[in-house]
Amino acid sequence: MSTKLTHEQLLALLSDMSIEEKAGQLAQIPISACMEGVTEPTGPMAEMNLTPEQIALSGSVIAVRKIEAEDCAKVVRDITALQPHHIPPLVMKDVIHGHQTMFPIPLAIGSTFDEGVAEDMGRCGALEGAVSGTHVTFAPMVDVVRDPRWGRVMESPGESPLLCGRMGAAMVRGTRGDDIAAPDRLAACAKHFVGYGISQAGQDYAPIDVSRTELYNTYLPPFQACIDAGVDMMMPAFVGIDRVPCVCNEWLLKDILRDRMGFEGMVISDWDDPRQLINHGVAKDLREVSKLCLEAGLDMDMMSFAHLNCLADLVREGKVDEKKLDEACLHVLALKNSLGLFDNPVKNDSNAYQQEICGSESIRKAAWEAAVKSCVLLKNDGALPLRTGCKVALVGSHADEHAILGGWTLDADTESTKTLLDSFGEDERITLVSPEEADVILLATGENQSDTGEDCSKAHPSLTSEQMAELHSLNALGKPVVLLLFCGRPLIITDALPLCSAVLNVWFPGTEGANAIRALVMGDRNPSGHLSMTMPRALGQVPIHHDRLSSARPWVEGAVYVNRYKDESNFPLFPFGFGLSYTTFAMEASAEGNVVTVKVVNTGSVAGETVVQLYGRMRHGRLIRPDKRLLDWQRVSLASGESCQVRFTVTPDMLRMYDAQGKAVEPEGVCDIAVGQSSAAAYTLTVDM
Ligand code: GLC
């Protein structure tokens, strides 16, 4: 294991560095520009007139497409050799849901409600990433998401602050392990800090407006969970809080992130975000950008070159205090030290080893298991699982589609990804035939992979008119139609639902997706995913989520002047936490003191897994609260007829709220408790707090 410098040695190094060197450490440049050797800048670096000297001083490189370990190692060694103190650069990349072996998208990982799966995804992505030359990943994304129009909901574990926090923390643990210097680990970065998911009307890069109370109660807690799990880096969001862009928001980056939340790691901007202050008219030029961001608490500038071009001059001219530069630079050096880079800047420099590890059996197995657990069975009239010997038509835009991986698949080999037809074609229990000849029709359709992720906002998050026409014509054949729904967001399928005998929401399931879907459809495994985001009935309901704040005029059937629509139900098509199985579970809950005990019985004829969910609300309190919020959950696995007991302890931590000043308001009095398999579970118990 690599030797690390002591804090004193780091300080000594810092004090020996020139102002230019220190400013250079705060810059991230594209690795592609250094591939031909760092003395001959190519591509964007050449266009940006960065000199070879500036490249050699840069603290980090970012890779946005596939690179091989040997090329990556060469860039690191070239820059290290030229840097006056031989400080190696950090190599960073978006390893969001796997690296070469893709796991299901994070929204699907949220649907597993299985922290072990999230941890496995972090671990496998880190291993494949590390042997490919990466040091740091820009993950996990823990933006709480409530609006399916926003394409980036696919990158989040979902709408619940608790789910985002617990799954995010698990990804952090899986990614970084106990020691990020280990050859199979990466440093982790929580993003986007904070409120990016609130983007108005679900449009990417749109403004947000959020109260401090909502920040404290809903949007900051997942980041706190990541900090508590040891996350190394934090990325301010493209949006602003209180009209101050996050990237230069001193209140957010200092008072909140450092002082209140106790974050000690490094802060990196999002792509070109500092320079975008000029677009906002918040800064008039790059000099002002550099000063504003540094003074607010930003350490590294990703791709806007403000620090690289302007910061040293600003310090020399006395416009920026050198102490601030030192502080930021120390955060960068400390991360490099934690990664062991001063001792060993390259974790692997062998392409052969990279190839041996990436895509290996155990990683693919973990990706398969994640995909199996993440698919959500939304409807089943008995068409699933398929019977042995039946004739099956497998049709639709995604039947022969390789691109079932979801957004952020920089290193994946999409073309060699198995399609559903590849996988089902291998199954001797069924015969693939045309829809006319079939006993059952599998319609694999939904969004395209390229419709998910950044810059993928949609005003119509539903099936297209062509897809609906296809569904209608298949339905007209009078045979059961099973919809295998591919999506990076909850789609509005209210019109499609009655035309289907069964619906399996498969998200973007990743490299092993086709095999996993086949295992579920054939009944080798039992669906057990539960929705990580509410599925609306109509777009007009958006944003709709399980933990909406209470209304002073709550909806009552048939009443007027209550919280309702004239033309639509208040209820979603499928609530948060919903998911069916091929078996059934009965639950009986009781409370004693603050302990809720749930007896769970598998009352069906096959083994299965479900997610026992605990929801609650304080009956009284001065602040308006959600009517219901997820407080805890447990995944259980039971054979047919088997039962088990699940115990939840209801603690003040679960119900504490914060006022606009961030002051804790302790829960006191009666807490209503609901237990069930979705957020539609009714309140049946109380616990005294
Ligand atoms: C982006 C994203 C961010 C990502 C970064 C680097 O534009 O907003 O999530 O980590 O660029 O690729």
Side-chain angles (χ1 to χ4, degrees):
M1 198 64 56
S2 40
T3 331
K4 295 182 188 158
L5 304 184
T6 62
H7 186 63
E8 287 64 40
Q9 285 172 314
L10 276 184
L11 289 178
L13 170 62
L14 183 71
S15 69
D16 201 49
M17 289 165 72
S18 69
I19 292 173
E20 280 72 17
E21 271 183 279
K22 289 188 282 196
Q25 285 303 303
L26 306 188
Q28 183 169 66
I29 62 172
I31 196 168
S32 53
C34 317
M35 299 298 262
E36 309 296 323
V38 296
T39 49
E40 280 174 49
T42 52
M45 303 303 288
E47 282 157 34
M48 279 156 188
N49 295 323
L50 292 179
T51 63
E53 291 71 33
Q54 284 177 312
I55 295 178
L57 292 183
S58 295
S60 176
V61 290
I62 177 172
V64 288
R65 61 182 126 82
K66 187 172 179 140
I67 31 165
E68 299 198 303
E70 286 166 23
D71 291 335
C72 195
K74 182 174 179 310
V75 171
V76 170
R77 289 186 178 130
D78 284 354
I79 292 181
T80 310
L82 291 172
Q83 207 288 339
H85 284 86
H86 304 306
I87 301 173
L90 290 159
V91 180
M92 302 198 197
K93 194 172 210 174
D94 291 279
V95 182
I96 306 295
H97 53 113
H99 185 261
Q100 180 178 312
T101 309
M102 299 312 298
F103 279 63
I105 55 171
L107 193 60
I109 296 294
S111 291
T112 68
F113 281 77
D114 187 331
E115 287 152 279
V117 166
E119 201 166 325
D120 276 350
M121 179 171 85
R123 181 177 53 76
C124 295
L127 171 57
E128 289 191 343
V131 299
S132 308
T134 300
H135 299 132
V136 187
T137 171
F138 301 116
M141 191 264 233
V142 288
D143 292 316
V144 171
V145 291
R146 273 97 189 261
D147 192 330
R149 289 172 297 185
W150 195 47
R152 302 200 76 169
V153 302
M154 66 143 278
E155 297 172 56
S156 162
E159 72 180 37
S160 148
L162 182 74
L163 186 61
C164 280
R166 269 173 48 181
M167 298 304 258
M171 289 180 210
V172 169
R173 290 195 302 273
T175 301
R176 67 185 311 286
D178 297 329
D179 181 6
I180 52 174
D184 54 353
R185 299 294 184 176
L186 299 179
C189 171
K191 69 187 187 186
H192 306 85
F193 192 68
V194 57
Y196 188 17
I198 311 166
S199 292
Q200 273 174 18
Q203 217 181 23
D204 217 356
Y205 321 123
I208 70 157
D209 190 11
V210 63
S211 73
R212 293 201 175 187
T213 315
E214 275 317 293
L215 281 180
Y216 293 126
N217 290 293
T218 300
Y219 296 99
L220 291 173
F223 288 92
Q224 186 70 63
C226 291
I227 293 171
D228 296 344
V231 79
D232 306 277
M233 211 164 75
M234 203 53 83
M235 182 189 290
F238 280 135
V239 293
I241 302 289
D242 296 332
R243 299 197 181 198
V244 181
C246 294
V247 72
C248 66
N249 190 320
E250 187 170 348
W251 174 77
L252 184 67
L253 299 183
K254 290 202 171 143
D255 300 9
I256 298 301
L257 182 61
R258 301 279 183 200
D259 300 344
R260 183 183 171 94
M261 300 176 79
F263 180 65
E264 293 178 348
M266 185 184 127
V267 178
I268 185 165
S269 80
D270 202 340
W271 183 280
D272 199 29
D273 195 17
R275 197 194 51 77
Q276 288 162 195
L277 294 180
I278 300 174
N279 302 352
H280 268 309
V282 167
K284 60 180 182 309
D285 54 26
L286 268 192
R287 270 169 67 88
E288 210 174 348
V289 164
S290 176
K291 179 176 160 67
L292 278 177
C293 292
L294 184 84
E295 290 182 342
L298 179 78
D299 299 323
M300 187 171 279
D301 163 5
M302 180 197 292
M303 289 299 295
S304 79
F305 315 113
H307 288 339
L308 198 55
N309 280 311
C310 311
L311 190 51
D313 286 347
L314 287 165
V315 172
R316 287 204 189 289
E317 290 163 23
K319 302 259 165 46
V320 167
D321 188 348
E322 191 171 351
K323 280 209 204 81
K324 303 248 178 209
L325 171 60
D326 287 355
E327 236 174 77
C329 188
L330 194 58
H331 289 140
V332 178
L333 297 180
L335 178 56
K336 293 184 176 188
N337 192 36
S338 299
L339 279 158
L341 300 193
F342 292 111
D343 188 37
N344 179 23
V346 172
K347 291 194 181 189
N348 172 43
D349 60 2
S350 150
N351 288 354
Y353 184 60
Q354 177 185 12
Q355 278 154 23
E356 183 190 323
I357 295 295
C358 291
S360 54
E361 193 54 34
S362 66
I363 298 177
R364 292 182 78 104
K365 217 164 162 272
W368 180 85
E369 183 69 22
V372 164
K373 285 182 169 166
S374 69
C375 295
V376 184
L377 184 64
L378 295 172
K379 176 178 179 178
N380 190 15
D381 290 350
L384 290 180
L386 298 186
R387 278 173 297 104
T388 297
C390 76
K391 287 182 276 172
V392 180
L394 175 50
V395 295
S397 52
H398 290 58
D400 202 19
E401 178 59 270
H402 297 279
I404 56 167
L405 305 173
W408 288 121
T409 48
L410 307 177
D411 288 71
D413 186 0
T414 305
E415 283 318 302
S416 73
T417 301
K418 236 186 212 180
T419 69
L420 285 176
L421 275 171
D422 292 336
S423 184
F424 279 78
E426 290 166 5
D427 204 305
E428 288 171 357
R429 291 171 291 182
I430 52 163
T431 322
L432 290 178
V433 294
S434 71
E436 289 71 22
E437 299 164 301
D439 301 321
V440 56
I441 301 168
L442 302 179
L443 172 62
T445 194
E447 294 192 285
N448 293 326
Q449 170 172 299
S450 56
D451 285 353
T452 67
E454 194 173 347
D455 186 25
C456 287
S457 296
K458 281 187 174 174
H460 305 283
S462 44
L463 294 176
T464 64
S465 47
E466 292 78 19
Q467 289 167 338
M468 280 305 291
E470 186 176 22
L471 178 55
H472 274 288
S473 69
L474 292 171
N475 173 266
L477 294 174
K479 302 169 178 189
V481 177
V482 175
L483 175 63
L484 303 175
L485 185 61
F486 286 79
C487 54
R489 66 187 99 216
L491 290 179
I492 297 167
I493 56 160
T494 313
D495 295 342
L497 198 59
L499 304 174
C500 306
S501 297
V503 179
L504 186 65
N505 195 91
V506 301
W507 308 108
F508 279 98
T511 303
E512 286 295 322
N515 289 336
I517 292 168
R518 172 161 65 104
L520 293 169
V521 166
M522 296 306 299
D524 302 333
R525 286 290 293 267
N526 196 340
S528 60
H530 286 252
L531 289 176
S532 49
M533 264 181 100
T534 303
M535 281 182 83
R537 194 175 283 278
L539 188 59
Q541 297 178 315
V542 169
I544 179 169
H545 51 96
H546 80 284
D547 54 352
R548 204 177 79 158
L549 297 181
S550 65
S551 161
R553 291 188 176 203
W555 173 85
V556 177
E557 176 84 71
V560 294
Y561 295 98
V562 293
N563 180 222
R564 64 169 184 150
Y565 295 107
K566 280 262 189 207
D567 60 349
E568 185 53 87
S569 146
N570 271 16
F571 295 98
L573 191 61
F574 294 107
F576 170 79
F578 181 85
L580 299 172
S581 160
Y582 297 150
T583 187
T584 45
F585 298 92
M587 294 188 190
E588 214 180 279
S590 59
E592 212 182 304
N594 64 344
V595 176
V596 174
T597 306
V598 191
K599 183 175 178 211
V600 190
V601 191
N602 179 345
T603 46
S605 55
V606 289
E609 294 178 31
T610 191
V611 181
V612 187
Q613 301 161 42
L614 180 82
Y615 293 89
R617 68 152 178 231
M618 289 308 298
R619 210 173 271 180
H620 300 287
R622 286 286 155 79
L623 297 178
I624 295 170
R625 304 166 298 288
D627 277 325
K628 201 182 255 177
R629 184 168 258 190
L630 180 69
L631 302 183
D632 202 355
W633 76 82
Q634 220 163 293
R635 213 176 208 279
V636 297
S637 172
L638 293 171
S640 164
E642 199 189 350
S643 64
C644 72
Q645 270 205 354
V646 171
R647 281 159 65 95
F648 296 109
T649 306
V650 182
T651 63
D653 282 355
M654 296 173 170
L655 295 148
R656 181 175 299 121
M657 296 217 301
Y658 297 92
D659 67 13
Q661 286 69 45
K663 215 171 116 253
V665 181
E666 293 301 325
E668 254 186 67
V670 179
C671 173
D672 290 305
I673 292 289
V675 175
Q677 293 178 79
S678 86
S679 56
Y683 284 124
T684 56
L685 299 173
T686 57
V687 163
D688 283 323
M689 300 300 293

